Amino acid sequence: MKGLILSILLTPLFFISNGQNPDSNRLNNLIEKVPQDTILVMLLLDSANQYSFSDPYAGFPLAQKALKLSKDLHFRKGEAAALNASGEAAHFMGDYPKALTLQFEALQINRKMKDLSGEVESLGDIGIVYIELGQYSEALQYLLLANKLGEQSTSLERKSFIFSNISEAYEKLNISDSALYYQRKAYEHFSEISFPHLKSFILRHMGMIYYNLGQKDSALVYYLKAILNSRISNDKLNLSLSEIKLAELYLSNHQQDSSLFYAHDAFANAQNLKLPVLEASNLLTNIYRKAKNQDSTILFLDIAATMRDSLYGQEQIRQLQILMLEEQQREQVIIQQNEKFRNKIKFLALLSVLGLFSLLTFILIRNNRHKQNANNLLKKQKTTIETTLKELRSTQAQLIQSEKMASLGELTAGIAHEIQNPLNFVNNFSELNAELIKELSDIRSMESEVGGEVGEVRSEESEDRKKRREEEDVIINDLKENSQKINVHGQRASNIVKGMLEHARKSSGEKSPTDINALCEEFAKLSYQSMRAKDPKFSAEYTFDFDAHLPKIEVVAQDLGRVILNLINNAFQALEEKAKKVGEDFKPAVTVSTSSMADYIEIRISDNGSGIPESIKDKIFQPFFTTKDAGKGTGLGLSLSYDIVKALGGEIKVESKVGTGSQLIILLPINSDI
């Protein structure tokens, strides 16, 4: 009888699971009837999750009720699920710091319970927040770990969700092959997926992949399917995002009316969802700007600015930085605690061995010999423990350094891709030389046969011999030119490979005496080669003005090299942009200089680009701030460089004049205890 009553009470969940948001009054009445137990927790969570896709502001309180009830009931699994649901609602509300705080807390509870499925869910939710923050490498760390842990421990729907988000992260990093591979894995079992929200999510991402591949017809089909599925399931989030993508597709095809229609519909459907409102406002601003509708342009530009401040304002960024630092410190504490526990076990084991050995020594060699051996063993044990602690600290420093410096992939992939062109030149000209040499050999053989009959040579044959000589001269000249080209392009390939290997070398995390002049020259050349690999038409003059008496200073060479590379890359990119605007009359130039002061050394990187406006000078070192077009920069390069230099006890300054150029100045202490 109790089961029948429970079934009647939970009947509304059927409508929720099919995409319909529960009626508020009916839901409240149902909550009052259900006992205050774990069943009510699951009812609240199911309702909260459904609300999140259309009105997260209504879903968040339900998730919080589930969280409070779970804590009262000591229902740890429900507590973790409620934290995840609250984090998901906060994420859709655009409160990224709160979302990450809740999801990190859920992650720790799941790990303590050893709930692998719950841990996978938390990792996936954290990964998608990092994607929306533009930190794609960090997102992949969580998503790939979720994928690895979830191979045998999670549902098909959760696997497909993780695959699709991994695909989006790779797409944002411009790694198209991996993006397509994971998106196809997400779509592989599409027909078996029962959750309509996930279906809309996967369909939209399939459309995005095909759009980026230039297959707009296929993209259009998937966008329309995603929109239809979202309307049926009352999924406002995926509906608005899919309509934005469809509007962008129509705009790229110059179908402005259709683009405007879907952009407005997306804006209307996204009123309780900050990120879709921002994207829809940006798109409408672009459409109205092209239509020269100034009033509408200003209207949606203001809305977009308001949403952007709400999502990525200074307070949000500050909270995120604090949260990430706390999470990093917490992970370090866990590592230290684990290592401390293992060391304690080793120590106890050593003590046990020592006790047994002491007993045997007491029986065999008596008291004095026993003391001597015990002291020797204790000294060895102390040395071993000190060595182990030193190795652990070194390993920890390397792990932290590896996480901070995980931006190598894109540069290495670009250089490796460009290696193919010079190597093709080498192979092609080598084959051509072989053919020309054979032809020259044949001509020489014919000349030898004719040379035996010199007395009988006719005038016509003399003409033929003259022509052959001319042909030989041409062939020899060709051989010389080909050899030069082989040498040039072979050297080019060698330089690219060398630069790639040098740049890919892992940092030890330890300071060592470093020749700053050599470091600047090495990374300036590497930066220029990278720019040339990406754009063979790019050309600029770069010169060095080094202080020959510059002292070596204690730094992590790979980290400081990263800073120099970032700053010189920015200088070359600024020159490239100015060259496109000014034309052939502009002569791009970069100068890298060093000098020694009383207590510090100065590295100055100067360019004759367009300069930095006064209004943004104070912002360029802030995380996520960038003046580049969307998709061309994350705004983290200068921020990371600033942090590295600060960690070395130095500082970075900027001097610039609009229209004339910029100078970025690195000041590093000669003697530092940091």
Side-chain angles (χ1 to χ4, degrees):
M1 186 66 182
K2 182 179 179 182
L4 178 60
I5 295 173
L6 184 60
S7 175
I8 294 172
L9 290 174
L10 296 182
T11 299
L13 290 179
F14 170 79
F15 300 102
I16 297 172
S17 64
N18 282 276
Q20 302 300 321
N21 288 330
D23 177 81
S24 177
N25 293 329
R26 292 181 63 192
L27 180 60
N28 290 331
N29 292 334
L30 181 60
I31 291 173
E32 292 177 359
K33 295 177 182 178
V34 175
Q36 299 288 309
D37 57 15
T38 58
I39 295 176
L40 179 57
V41 171
M42 303 312 295
L43 171 62
L44 289 167
L45 288 176
D46 200 5
S47 303
N49 287 328
Q50 294 300 325
Y51 263 125
S52 293
F53 287 90
S54 58
D55 187 2
Y57 292 94
F60 185 78
L62 294 174
Q64 289 290 289
K65 286 182 181 179
L67 177 60
K68 183 179 183 305
L69 181 57
S70 296
K71 288 181 177 180
D72 293 341
L73 296 171
H74 303 289
F75 180 27
R76 294 288 280 170
K77 190 175 183 67
E79 185 178 344
L83 286 166
N84 269 335
S86 299
E88 187 80 345
H91 160 212
F92 292 148
M93 290 158 57
D95 193 341
Y96 296 130
K98 180 180 289 184
L100 285 175
T101 299
L102 294 166
Q103 289 160 350
F104 277 130
E105 187 176 350
L107 178 62
Q108 299 315 311
I109 292 175
N110 284 316
R111 284 177 172 172
K112 287 180 181 178
M113 292 192 302
K114 301 188 183 302
D115 183 350
L116 205 55
S117 178
E119 182 177 351
V120 169
E121 182 176 353
S122 296
L123 289 168
D125 291 342
I126 292 169
I128 197 170
V129 173
Y130 273 114
I131 288 176
E132 292 190 7
L133 288 171
Q135 295 185 301
Y136 310 119
S137 297
E138 288 80 358
L140 279 175
Q141 291 179 12
Y142 288 97
L143 292 169
L144 291 174
L145 178 58
N147 181 41
K148 181 180 179 181
L149 296 178
E151 288 179 351
Q152 304 294 332
S153 62
T154 193
S155 65
L156 178 64
E157 286 82 359
R158 177 57 59 178
K159 288 180 181 178
S160 298
F161 173 75
I162 292 171
F163 285 147
S164 196
N165 280 295
I166 292 175
S167 170
E168 183 175 1
Y170 276 123
E171 176 194 340
K172 297 295 186 182
L173 291 171
N174 295 320
I175 307 176
S176 303
D177 292 343
S178 297
L180 182 59
Y181 168 78
Y182 279 101
Q183 193 55 49
R184 284 176 173 169
K185 285 181 70 70
Y187 192 72
E188 200 171 72
H189 300 285
F190 182 80
S191 60
E192 303 173 45
I193 295 173
S194 59
F195 295 109
H197 304 305
L198 180 57
K199 282 192 170 185
S200 300
F201 181 82
I202 292 175
L203 288 169
R204 173 166 55 86
H205 278 72
M206 284 295 292
M208 291 163 60
I209 289 291
Y210 280 109
Y211 180 82
N212 290 333
L213 291 173
Q215 300 180 29
K216 293 185 179 180
D217 290 342
S218 298
L220 177 63
V221 171
Y222 282 107
Y223 287 154
L224 291 173
K225 286 182 179 179
I227 290 171
L228 178 60
N229 193 73
S230 300
R231 290 189 190 279
I232 293 173
S233 58
N234 194 30
D235 181 352
K236 298 291 187 181
L237 175 66
N238 283 301
L239 174 59
S240 57
L241 291 174
S242 299
E243 287 183 322
I244 289 169
K245 292 301 177 183
L246 182 59
E248 290 175 350
L249 187 151
Y250 279 130
L251 187 61
S252 69
N253 287 337
H254 307 292
Q255 295 174 270
Q256 190 163 342
D257 291 342
S258 298
S259 177
L260 189 61
F261 171 79
Y262 281 103
H264 269 294
D265 202 47
F267 182 83
N269 287 318
Q271 289 309 300
N272 291 321
L273 305 160
K274 289 186 179 180
L275 182 62
V277 168
L278 173 59
E279 293 189 6
S281 300
N282 284 332
L283 180 57
L284 286 165
T285 300
N286 188 23
I287 294 172
Y288 280 120
R289 184 182 288 119
K290 288 183 178 181
K292 298 182 179 179
N293 187 333
Q294 187 174 3
D295 292 341
S296 297
T297 300
I298 293 173
L299 171 64
F300 287 103
L301 190 62
D302 288 343
I303 295 174
T306 301
M307 287 296 104
R308 189 177 297 106
D309 288 342
S310 177
L311 288 169
Y312 309 112
Q314 290 186 355
E315 179 60 24
Q316 290 275 61
I317 297 302
R318 187 187 67 80
Q319 292 179 20
L320 284 169
Q321 288 176 325
I322 294 172
L323 175 63
M324 292 176 188
L325 180 60
E326 289 176 348
E327 180 63 17
Q328 186 182 38
Q329 291 173 343
R330 189 194 59 75
E331 291 288 346
Q332 292 174 5
V333 169
I334 291 175
I335 292 172
Q336 291 172 352
Q337 289 175 345
N338 290 337
E339 294 299 334
K340 185 176 180 180
F341 176 76
R342 283 194 287 268
N343 289 336
K344 186 176 181 180
I345 295 298
K346 291 179 182 178
F347 182 75
L348 291 174
L350 287 172
L351 285 179
S352 299
V353 173
L354 177 62
L356 179 60
F357 182 77
S358 299
L359 180 61
L360 293 174
T361 304
F362 176 79
I363 296 172
L364 297 173
I365 310 178
R366 303 296 180 182
N367 193 40
N368 289 335
R369 187 66 180 271
H370 155 70
K371 290 181 179 180
Q372 182 180 1
N373 290 339
N375 289 335
N376 291 336
L377 187 60
L378 284 171
K379 289 179 181 179
K380 291 180 181 179
Q381 175 188 331
K382 182 179 179 181
T383 302
T384 302
I385 293 174
E386 289 176 350
T387 303
T388 302
L389 289 173
K390 183 177 180 181
E391 292 175 352
L392 288 173
R393 291 192 184 101
S394 176
T395 302
Q396 179 184 357
Q398 291 175 11
L399 288 172
I400 295 171
Q401 193 66 15
S402 296
E403 291 177 359
K404 289 179 65 179
M405 301 292 111
S407 63
L408 177 64
E410 182 179 358
L411 176 63
T412 305
I415 295 175
H417 177 72
E418 288 300 322
I419 289 176
Q420 190 63 43
N421 291 332
L423 289 182
N424 283 342
F425 273 103
V426 173
N427 294 332
N428 291 340
F429 282 112
S430 296
E431 293 174 3
L432 183 57
N433 274 356
E435 294 176 3
L436 291 174
I437 292 170
K438 184 177 182 301
E439 185 178 344
L440 180 59
S441 178
D442 292 343
I443 292 173
R444 290 294 186 184
S445 297
M446 291 174 60
E447 183 181 7
S448 297
E449 293 175 2
V450 175
E453 303 173 0
V454 174
E456 300 175 3
V457 174
R458 298 176 185 176
S459 59
E460 295 179 359
E461 292 175 331
S462 296
E463 286 296 326
D464 291 340
R465 185 172 183 180
K466 183 178 180 181
K467 291 180 179 178
R468 285 198 301 273
R469 285 291 184 182
E470 292 175 352
E471 291 174 355
E472 291 173 9
D473 291 338
V474 172
I475 291 172
I476 290 171
N477 289 334
D478 287 343
L479 284 173
K480 290 180 179 178
E481 292 178 2
N482 290 346
S483 297
Q484 292 174 352
K485 291 179 179 177
I486 289 172
N487 181 267
V488 169
H489 290 289
Q491 188 63 39
R492 179 185 170 199
S494 175
N495 290 338
I496 291 174
V497 172
K498 180 180 178 182
M500 181 174 66
L501 293 176
E502 286 296 324
H503 192 264
R505 185 183 300 156
K506 292 184 179 179
S507 169
S508 65
E510 298 181 359
K511 293 182 178 180
S512 61
T514 302
D515 185 341
I516 301 301
N517 289 343
L519 193 70
C520 290
E521 183 173 356
E522 174 188 356
F523 280 93
K525 291 178 178 179
L526 179 60
S527 175
Y528 186 70
Q529 291 169 3
S530 175
M531 288 292 296
R532 290 278 295 168
K534 293 178 181 177
D535 183 5
K537 296 180 181 180
F538 175 76
S539 177
E541 178 184 359
Y542 60 95
T543 57
F544 305 111
D545 182 12
F546 293 149
D547 183 347
H549 302 290
L550 200 69
K552 291 186 178 182
I553 62 173
E554 294 275 345
V555 295
V556 182
Q558 192 68 17
D559 290 355
L560 183 57
R562 178 83 59 186
V563 174
I564 295 169
L565 184 66
N566 276 337
L567 300 186
I568 297 177
N569 278 345
N570 284 348
F572 280 136
Q573 289 165 6
L575 295 178
E576 183 182 33
E577 292 175 2
K578 185 173 180 179
K580 290 178 180 178
K581 296 177 181 177
V582 176
E584 297 180 356
D585 294 336
F586 175 59
K587 303 298 181 184
V590 170
T591 300
V592 183
S593 61
T594 60
S595 58
S596 177
M597 308 299 178
D599 299 321
Y600 59 87
I601 66 168
E602 176 187 276
I603 305 171
R604 186 179 294 260
I605 298 168
S606 309
D607 66 73
N608 61 341
S610 299
I612 303 172
E614 286 290 335
S615 59
I616 66 171
K617 272 188 181 180
D618 296 334
K619 301 178 181 178
I620 62 174
F621 295 115
Q622 293 178 2
F624 307 110
F625 179 81
T626 179
T627 59
K628 298 175 184 176
D629 295 337
K632 293 186 177 179
T634 63
L636 294 173
L638 287 176
S639 173
L640 181 60
S641 300
Y642 183 85
D643 291 342
I644 292 173
V645 173
K646 279 292 185 183
L648 293 172
E651 60 177 314
I652 298 182
K653 297 180 179 180
V654 58
E655 296 178 359
S656 181
K657 185 176 181 181
V658 175
T660 301
S662 303
Q663 296 186 49
L664 284 164
I665 305 160
I666 304 172
L667 299 175
L668 296 172
I670 294 177
N671 298 310
S672 174
D673 297 329
I674 295 180

